[in-house]
Amino acid sequence: MRFLCLLIFVISTITPSVAATLAQQTQRIISLSPHTTEMAYAAGLGNKLIAASAYSDYPPAAEKLERVANYRGLKMERILALKPDLILAWQGGNPSRELARLEQLGIKILYSNPKTLADIPNTLEQLGQYADSPQPAQQAATEFRHQLQQLKIANHNKPKVRYFYQLGSTPLMTVADSGWPSQIFQFCGGENIFANSSVAYPQVNQEQVIVRQPQVIFSAQPIADTQQLWAQWQHQLIAIKQHHIYQLNTNWLNRPTPRTLLAIKQVCGLLNQVRDDH
């Protein structure tokens, strides 16, 4: 919290001349994750992006960017050859050793690791310092905060609903309250059955899920695949018996960007359906 307050203070005290200098000095930007690519476009930096990571597919213009990173790592030689002024990196998602090497070579890296919904508009404003005009980022941040407040009012004091978010089936994985996107489920009144796991993305088993009896199962996979996985336990799980299995749009849900608002609307709407059935 102290870091976030300091960040907001620093951004708010940056003079127009300093901001203009940052923008002028930053003409070639590389993004190393899909969410930082999307955030860069939202902040008005699309004209400065020269390369991005695999799966950077939103907005459509991002698909035309050269790929210099994937789950295996970074294409170091190509990144250096492109001579970026700024690299947008996902802290915890991109390899720290390679990022450290880039920093040692004098390349500026801006790390992104949103922990809360409020971090999204704050990050937009931070990125806006490097745009030709900070106005698009400021407008996007203001609109995000406004819509988030409206959604908060609409979903205030809703009854809690126990949920299980199935990230994958082999192995069966989920997310604790310490990991993204648990913030979205919490916002909508979801109660995570693995909230207090010691790791952010725990591997679990089906018996553990049955014992905790979620009222709804959200999945990153097609519903048919999820139903098949739980078929032999259909009489033991409330969520299965009441047909409360839903596939979520993972691009909205797993990427902390302005489209997180769409994920909130989807999750809140589905939790309301579960409440209506009880």
Side-chain angles (χ1 to χ4, degrees), residues 11-267:
I11 292 172
S12 65
T13 55
I14 289 177
T15 64
S17 60
V18 172
T21 301
L22 283 174
Q24 291 168 2
Q25 293 176 344
T26 309
Q27 298 298 322
R28 299 174 63 79
I29 300 175
I30 291 176
S31 170
L32 299 181
S33 76
H35 91 265
T36 53
T37 302
E38 188 172 333
M39 290 287 277
Y41 276 99
L45 294 171
N47 64 319
K48 297 185 177 186
L49 282 170
I50 58 172
S53 68
Y55 303 108
S56 290
D57 54 8
Y58 189 87
E63 297 184 11
K64 300 177 182 179
L65 295 171
E66 180 180 346
R67 301 319 196 198
V68 293
N70 55 37
Y71 72 94
R72 294 177 180 173
L74 311 182
K75 297 179 180 179
M76 295 290 287
E77 291 184 6
R78 185 54 185 157
I79 290 173
L80 293 172
L82 288 170
K83 298 181 179 179
D85 304 312
L86 178 67
I87 288 178
L88 307 179
W90 175 20
Q91 192 168 27
N94 294 130
S96 57
R97 182 177 299 178
E98 293 175 3
L99 292 174
R101 182 186 168 199
L102 290 170
E103 286 188 292
Q104 289 169 359
L105 293 171
I107 299 176
K108 182 174 182 178
I109 298 179
L110 186 65
Y111 290 92
S112 174
N113 186 26
K115 296 290 188 181
T116 70
L117 295 171
D119 287 342
I120 294 174
N122 293 341
T123 301
L124 284 171
E125 290 171 336
Q126 184 183 21
L127 290 171
Q129 301 171 70
Y130 302 94
D132 293 331
S133 168
Q135 189 172 0
Q138 292 170 353
Q139 289 179 338
T142 298
E143 181 61 23
F144 184 94
R145 292 186 181 111
H146 173 72
Q147 289 195 43
L148 189 65
Q149 180 61 25
Q150 295 301 110
L151 288 167
K152 184 177 181 179
I153 293 171
N155 293 281
H156 184 61
N157 278 341
K158 292 289 183 71
K160 298 290 185 182
V161 177
R162 296 188 311 281
Y163 76 90
F164 172 60
Y165 178 40
Q166 180 179 312
L167 276 175
S169 56
T170 51
L172 186 62
M173 295 185 67
T174 188
V175 58
D177 274 3
S178 59
W180 192 277
S182 291
Q183 299 84 343
I184 295 171
F185 297 109
Q186 291 171 8
F187 184 93
C188 296
E191 191 174 76
N192 188 353
I193 63 171
F194 290 100
N196 299 319
S197 175
S198 59
V199 295
Y201 300 95
Q203 182 175 330
V204 300
N205 59 54
Q206 288 159 316
E207 288 76 11
Q208 289 174 308
V209 175
I210 293 169
V211 168
R212 288 164 173 79
Q213 280 298 324
Q215 295 166 270
V216 56
I217 294 176
F218 292 114
S219 179
Q221 301 173 308
I223 291 177
D225 294 345
T226 306
Q227 288 175 328
Q228 182 177 3
L229 176 68
W230 295 100
Q232 62 179 306
W233 287 281
Q234 60 183 317
H235 300 298
Q236 298 173 259
L237 275 171
I238 296 173
I240 306 297
K241 287 191 288 186
Q242 298 190 347
H243 307 290
H244 291 154
I245 301 179
Y246 304 107
Q247 180 185 4
L248 299 176
N249 186 316
T250 53
N251 284 345
W252 297 349
L253 187 73
N254 294 338
R255 300 179 185 179
T257 72
R259 290 196 297 169
T260 295
L261 293 168
L262 297 174
I264 290 174
K265 292 175 183 178
Q266 183 182 37
V267 170

Side-chain angles (χ1 to χ4, degrees), residues 262-277:
L262 297 174
I264 290 174
K265 292 175 183 178
Q266 183 182 37
V267 170
C268 287
L270 293 172
L271 287 177
N272 283 334
Q273 287 184 30
V274 176
R275 292 184 182 104
D276 291 341
D277 289 345

